[in-house]
Amino acid sequence: MSSLRSHDDTWDIATSVGSTAVMVAAARAGETEREDALINDPYARILVAGAGTGVWDTLLDNDFVSKVEDLDAEAAQIFAHMGNYQAVRTHFFDAYFARAAQAGIRQVVILASGLDSRAYRLEWPAGTTVYEIDQPKVLEYKAETLAAHGAQPSAQRHEVAIDLRQDWPKALREAGFDHTVPTAWLAEGLLMYLPADAQDRLFELVTELSAPGSRLAAETAGVSSADRREAMRERFEKFADQFNMGSALAVADLMYEDPDRADVAEWLRSHGWQAEGAHSLDEMRRLDRLVQLSEEPERDAFSTFVTAEKL
């Protein structure tokens, strides 16, 4: 159970779950600037710089990991590992959307879109519509910031400003969503911020709204041991103080640790989908981004990237 969440909590881009979108954008910005980058997100740095937190700007420093290494070599490996994870995750779901587009799908829904910039940075086929669902203040910040820098979406983009705990299917339909045509759904960086019953309800609604041939991609919620979570908390607290990041690294406190949540691929298979999963550590190894840590990472603590097609 998360220690910082309540059933009716809300946020903007600088607080609570909203701030994690800035963290992820900072990771995308860092990856984009690598010579061997797996992704290209020219908007990530802009979105981080304008967020007003000042906290995640630290991660935009190309020498950040080197500075951490001066204090704790193992911690530097962990930060490098985290950055690589974000790069591999983004790369995986970018490829998922490319395959969906090649299959002729022209309707896309990004659940809890945060600072996701795919509506702007991916090359969408003509006639593609992207619906982004998130808290009103988060969507407002992204649209205003990118517009101020002259960015234009590469697909028809519709904001659906609503909390996923509310009647988002109604809001989605009112925004123009057509449940009779195939849709490509994405739940990235979302499930860990939902309790188990809310995860099930989310997929029930997605299933109801999905025409045959629809596709779904999701990042599952990993489960860490209590000892591992506490060790990581203590280590991150030290670096948060050192780099004036406050409680920003206490992201785990925003997540729901629920070992009884359904296996996403199994749930989908039992509800009319053909589903398969790729474990994130395997993807990191495949792309030569798996950092060798002094302690073997807990496999269950890392997500599986699930893709599915509605039968």
Side-chain angles (χ1 to χ4, degrees):
M1 175 67 179
S2 168
S3 62
L4 296 179
R5 303 293 308 284
S6 64
H7 74 281
D8 59 352
D9 56 342
T10 187
W11 49 84
D12 57 19
I13 201 62
T15 58
S16 187
V17 177
S19 67
T20 66
V22 186
M23 174 189 69
V24 174
R28 294 200 307 268
E31 176 66 20
T32 296
E33 293 167 9
R34 288 179 55 144
E35 291 185 0
D36 60 346
L38 295 174
I39 64 166
N40 179 37
D41 187 345
Y43 306 107
R45 180 174 284 272
I46 294 170
L47 290 167
V48 175
T53 63
V55 174
W56 297 116
D57 291 357
T58 301
L59 297 185
L60 297 180
D61 181 354
N62 294 329
D63 295 325
F64 173 70
V65 172
S66 297
K67 292 176 180 178
V68 172
E69 190 171 19
D70 291 339
L71 300 172
D72 186 329
E74 184 177 356
Q77 290 180 317
I78 293 172
F79 278 112
H81 188 79
M82 291 168 58
N84 282 352
Y85 172 84
Q86 296 292 344
V88 169
R89 181 182 81 169
T90 303
H91 177 272
F92 184 92
F93 292 124
D94 282 359
Y96 154 77
F97 276 131
R99 292 193 302 272
Q102 290 170 1
I105 294 177
R106 297 294 181 264
Q107 183 168 254
V108 172
V109 179
I110 302 177
L111 301 160
S113 58
L115 296 183
D116 187 304
S117 63
R118 290 185 174 96
Y120 295 82
R121 66 179 180 82
L122 294 186
E123 295 182 3
W124 299 102
T128 301
T129 300
V130 178
Y131 295 91
E132 297 189 7
I133 305 178
D134 212 318
Q135 298 259 354
K137 292 181 179 179
V138 174
L139 291 174
E140 179 183 0
Y141 166 75
K142 177 166 61 177
E144 290 184 352
T145 301
L146 293 181
H149 286 80
Q152 295 293 325
S154 52
Q156 187 175 5
R157 176 177 175 269
H158 290 287
E159 296 182 356
V160 184
I162 191 169
D163 192 298
L164 286 172
R165 292 165 294 188
Q166 300 170 355
D167 191 358
W168 63 267
K170 177 182 177 182
L172 182 61
R173 287 191 293 267
E174 289 176 347
F177 175 84
D178 185 354
H179 71 279
T180 67
V181 301
T183 303
W185 302 85
L186 177 62
E188 177 189 31
L190 167 60
L191 300 185
M192 62 284 294
Y193 301 112
L194 298 177
D197 57 347
Q199 173 180 300
D200 290 349
R201 182 56 180 159
L202 178 75
F203 287 129
E204 288 171 0
L205 293 171
V206 168
T207 299
E208 291 174 7
L209 292 167
S210 295
S214 292
R215 300 191 180 195
L216 168 66
E219 174 193 18
T220 68
V223 179
S224 299
S225 66
D227 289 345
R228 179 67 172 170
R229 290 198 305 273
E230 184 57 31
M232 293 295 285
R233 186 194 310 276
E234 292 177 358
R235 171 161 263 143
F236 285 158
E237 282 179 353
K238 179 174 66 175
F239 289 100
D241 291 340
Q242 182 72 27
F243 292 98
N244 298 316
M245 300 180 76
S247 60
L249 293 175
V251 175
D253 291 339
L254 299 170
M255 300 177 182
Y256 287 90
E257 285 286 343
D258 193 339
D260 297 322
R261 71 171 68 235
D263 179 283
V264 174
E266 290 180 2
W267 190 99
L268 291 170
R269 291 186 196 111
S270 67
H271 288 78
W273 298 78
Q274 185 177 46
E276 60 183 8
H279 197 279
S280 57
L281 292 179
D282 295 337
E283 280 296 292
M284 293 176 75
R285 184 176 293 106
R286 182 180 71 84
L287 295 170
D288 197 25
R289 287 300 188 89
L290 188 62
V291 177
Q292 294 301 315
L293 303 175
S294 59
E295 182 178 340
E296 187 70 19
E298 296 176 333
R299 193 170 177 84
D300 289 346
F302 282 82
S303 302
T304 294
F305 304 145
V306 175
T307 53
E309 182 172 355
K310 182 78 177 296
L311 299 175

